[in-house]
Amino acid sequence: MPTTADLEAEIEAERRHLAESRAALARMRERAQQLFDTGATVAGDAFAAESLGVALSARIRALVDDPNTPLFFGRLTFAGPRTESFHIGRRHVTDDAGEPMVLDWRAPVCQAFYQASATDPQGVAVRRRFGFSGGTLTGFEDEHLARGEELGTASRILTAEIERPRVGPMRDIVATIQPDQDRLVRSPLEETICVQGAPGTGKTAVGLHRAAYLLYAHRERLRRSGVLVVGPNRAFLRYISAVLPALGEVAVEQSTVDELANRVRVRGVDPPEVAALKHDARMATVLARALSSMIRRPVAELVVSDGSWRWRVAVEALRRIVDDVRRESPPYAVGRERVRARAVALLQRQAEARRGESPSDAWVRAMGRNPAVRSFVDHVWPELTPEGLVYSLLSDPARLASAAEGVLSAEEQDLLRWKRPPRTVKSARWSAADALLIDEAAGLLDRVPSYGHIVVDEAQDLSPMQLRMLARRCAHGSLTVLGDLAQGTAPWAAADWRETLAHLGRPDAPVVPLTTGFRVPAAVVALANRLLPTLNVGVPEAVSLRRDGTLEILPVVDLPAATVGAVRSALTFEGSIAVICADASVATYTTALRTAGIPAASTMDDSAAEPDDEVSDEDMRVSVVPATLAKGLEFDHVIVVEPAEIVQAEPRGLNRLYVVLTRAVSRLTVLHSAPLPLP
């Protein structure tokens, strides 16, 4: 049994290692900076200098050290003739001789930190977890796995890290990843996985950490093709924005679905029933038919003057070209160029036969631009734009009727058709749903660049057309699909993951449930689970390991006054505070809090810049969050105001309430004057 003096000496040794590791990381960054400063002088040309500069700049950003974030969080000591110990941290740190001081948590040897157990020690004699306060090492816990000793969720350090107050953006979970989460994180790049995650099970963190792991394991491949994280709104993306940089990954794109469909400026708004129809997968068939109808069979021979020569291509040969290209089913723009190239090839054969020599490349290019050839191509395979195709479909009743025959009813066609068509494509007031149709049309016209990997969060709320848009951007890559069917709030929200995966082009991808929660206290989970039978989704109930936390359900008369009182009470505790209410009431409660002298941020507009940027996190602990923007966020103390109003605000209001109730990490207060909409 080690003495107190022994333990103090061990802690001091670990603190020295931490200090030495931080110093080594600083030297690594300094060397990268020196290379950046001299890169332009050693590069062979301007392009090489720019490429080197971009790479070194990313390297410098990845080596930034936050003194308040522990550089390592664990240590593995392996059994065997030669005892080896490795510190496990957020990034790889080496000394001046290149020897590792901290191993990146993604390294193969580090997998044992997450997977080893008393029944399967995987060669680990001792697993050590470190406790920190800010950036200061305060203690450690040892699990002697070789002796059958394992703390599991009884670990004080593990529990303290999970229950640490949530202030500011979402943080990484590298110190607390559980075995089932780790298996998902380390899934091979080639695999698409779908995670059905109950509230608080860490599904978002799993997706982000999988992105970080794949970038580590397939750096060069993903550097070329890229990694994309797709979230439901900008508020959510701001919330998760610090996770990957904290893990040393700074080259990951983030976007909402609406931002990806960015070919046109969105200025219009569709009625709900029209928007729902435009999001329907049948629109893809209608667009494909409309595009196909643009292709015509030749009706006359092709005659081309070439100086003193005249070349002719019979109409039958031209029809064979068009028919062959149609059967090949290339993207429309590719098909148009194939028709042109094959017509020119027939002209070239005639020229070779008559002249006895092969024409030059310049001659071939000139034939492609010949007015007669251009006229032929424009007739049989007209040049189109995505905007033009959608414009023609929505403004021309006859064209819409032809493309939608047997697919959309007459009533649905009437809903789609513009009653007062804009005069030109440029004057059209496109809606967000129109932007999806235009993106679909763009995918029919030409190939879309493909990412190596896409992480899609809150996927249960994506429509078939939104899913198809993502599938086009991941044609040659893989996806991590994250969501919870119980949290589906969109009009087209999925009830079965198989349907979602089919629209993504991955119908056979595995669906993996995560049901054990670490974020939401058990009392809060039990309250939310009461809603599950009313949501008509086949998902298992969440189970929480959290036995701390509090739940208060308070009937009140004056909701604004009660909200102020509840916030004042919450301010006596550490951590973030959110007042979540129906969207229409955000201004009411924001004003009430500010009038009472409580600084409160309002996140009413998720497209706006982060609110109150000049106010520190410490001073701005309170946010008033509209219910429609609460998804994916978490707060230490959540005050839900008038659940009945949240439910009545939208058709899937009970699903929305399920989301809202599960945002609390430590404490949940429910204030209501109307009867609670709970079974």
Side-chain angles (χ1 to χ4, degrees), residues 280 431 517 562 674:
D280 195 301
S431 68

Side-chain angles (χ1 to χ4, degrees), residues 165-312:
R166 267 65 169 173
V167 178
M170 181 180 181
R171 58 178 184 258
D172 66 74
I173 62 166
V174 289
T176 61
I177 293 175
Q178 298 300 295
D180 55 344
Q181 295 173 325
D182 184 69
R183 283 188 284 271
L184 293 171
V185 166
R186 297 176 192 266
S187 299
L189 174 61
E190 295 74 21
E191 289 186 8
T192 288
I193 60 172
C194 176
V195 181
Q196 162 56 43
T201 56
K203 58 183 177 294
T204 299
V206 164
L208 295 174
H209 287 68
R210 188 186 184 202
Y213 172 76
L214 293 177
L215 282 164
Y216 174 89
H218 307 276
R219 179 76 58 192
E220 286 304 310
R221 179 174 171 181
L222 291 179
R223 182 182 62 81
R224 294 189 298 270
S225 57
V227 174
L228 174 67
V229 176
V230 179
N233 51 59
R234 268 289 141 193
F236 173 82
L237 292 177
R238 287 196 296 270
Y239 177 64
I240 68 170
S241 61
V243 174
L244 288 169
L247 301 175
E249 301 298 343
V250 295
V252 176
E253 294 182 47
Q254 294 186 346
S255 179
T256 66
V257 175
D258 288 342
E259 290 169 350
L260 288 175
N262 61 359
R263 290 187 62 92
V264 293
R265 180 187 174 194
V266 173
R267 298 187 295 163
V269 178
D270 287 318
E273 63 276 14
V274 177
L277 183 55
K278 290 178 179 178
H279 279 264
D280 195 301
R282 292 176 296 165
M283 290 304 301
T285 301
V286 173
L287 284 166
R289 282 186 176 183
L291 185 61
S292 181
S293 70
M294 298 291 186
I295 303 172
R296 309 181 188 96
R297 299 194 79 197
V299 295
E301 66 179 1
L302 173 62
V303 181
V304 178
S305 295
D306 180 21
S308 61
W309 301 92
R310 179 171 289 186
W311 317 117
R312 295 178 182 272

